[in-house]
Amino acid sequence: MHAVGIVAAAGSGSRLGADRPKALVPLAGRPLVRWAVDGLLAGGVTEVVVTIPAAHRAEFEAVLPAGVLVVEGGATRTASVRAGLAAADPAATAVLVHDAARPLTPPDVVARVLTALAAGAPAVVPVLPVVDTTVLVGEDGVIAEAVPRAPLRRVQTPQGFDLQTLVRAYAALPDGAELTDDAAVVRAAGVPVITVPGDERSAKVTVSHDLTLAELAVTLDGPSGTVAR
Ligand code: C5P
């Protein structure tokens, strides 16, 4: 399957408090964006587009493997993915949209998403169960109601799509609409989204504690299940 990967890496990472864009922050000596790109390639994606903050092109190009296309992202993740999609090879059959902020995503997860697409699913997301008690809290800070957690899932990336399905869904999305993931974009266009098992190692790096945990994971386990280095 000819699958193109889009890595959203244009965020500032202000919640991480780093001195550079989050995607350039090193994990075990390797920038987060490089981990994410290598994981996609190891899982079966054949080419990659990375969306970056415009002011940092040279730093990104210096750390990415040859052949990776670098394009300027936008002010929101939705705008960034739109830019990546516009640069993707239209001859590809499938597209996997991934967050640079999920550096340790095992290639097995990428392969599961690709397998489901190859079997005919138009849209596929990796998910994990919710293990905590989950509640709705009112503006007064008081619990309004408990939410049954059994059917709840946490949605991860990479999210896979038939390329033309995602292109059409973004084209139908009003300018300025901002959604937190791409499954929401195709669902807005009426496309069913199937789920495959995600992986705790795909955890998103948002605050500095997440980076500490990722460093520990690489130190203790090695990049096992991720890319052999
Ligand atoms: O901010 P958050 O962690 O949800 O961002 C998820 C991913 O989207 C990150 O990898 C980030 O770099 C990317 N992003 C982007 N363009 C933006 C904002 C976020 O590519 N304007």
Side-chain angles (χ1 to χ4, degrees):
M1 170 176 275
H2 180 181
V4 56
I6 295 175
V7 175
S12 65
S14 48
R15 286 167 292 182
L16 192 60
D19 58 353
R20 63 192 90 180
K22 179 164 67 179
L24 290 173
V25 169
L27 163 61
R30 188 173 293 250
L32 299 186
V33 66
R34 178 66 194 251
W35 285 91
V37 168
D38 289 348
L40 283 180
L41 292 171
V45 162
T46 39
E47 60 187 81
V48 179
V49 178
V50 177
T51 70
I52 61 154
H56 297 271
R57 176 174 284 271
E59 294 126 280
F60 275 85
E61 286 179 345
V63 300
L64 288 170
V68 168
L69 192 58
V70 173
V71 301
E72 282 178 25
T76 63
R77 186 185 184 282
T78 303
S80 293
V81 175
R82 234 190 240 283
L85 206 47
D89 180 356
T93 353
V95 57
L96 265 62
V97 185
H98 194 27
D99 289 332
R102 297 184 187 272
L104 299 182
T105 300
D108 280 2
V109 175
V110 178
R112 279 201 283 280
V113 172
L114 288 173
T115 300
L117 289 171
V124 186
V125 297
V127 297
L128 287 176
V130 171
V131 293
D132 295 310
T133 296
T134 305
V135 297
L136 294 177
V137 176
E139 284 180 10
D140 55 2
V142 176
I143 291 178
E145 60 181 292
V147 181
R149 73 182 174 194
L152 295 180
R153 298 290 181 271
R154 293 177 283 145
V155 181
Q156 301 183 316
T157 72
Q159 301 186 350
F161 306 90
D162 165 73
L163 177 62
Q164 290 311 319
T165 298
L166 190 62
V167 167
R168 280 195 297 272
Y170 265 92
L173 194 69
D175 277 346
E178 188 190 340
L179 301 174
T180 55
D181 75 349
D182 305 284
V185 176
V186 297
R187 287 190 64 247
V191 176
V193 179
I194 75 153
T195 62
V196 294
D199 194 298
E200 293 291 356
R201 290 170 291 184
S202 306
K204 192 164 158 191
V205 173
T206 303
V207 294
S208 64
H209 176 69
D210 303 328
L211 194 57
T212 305
L213 289 180
E215 291 277 2
L216 260 177
V218 177
T219 306
L220 296 177
D221 301 342
S224 58
T226 68
V227 190
R229 284 157 221 287

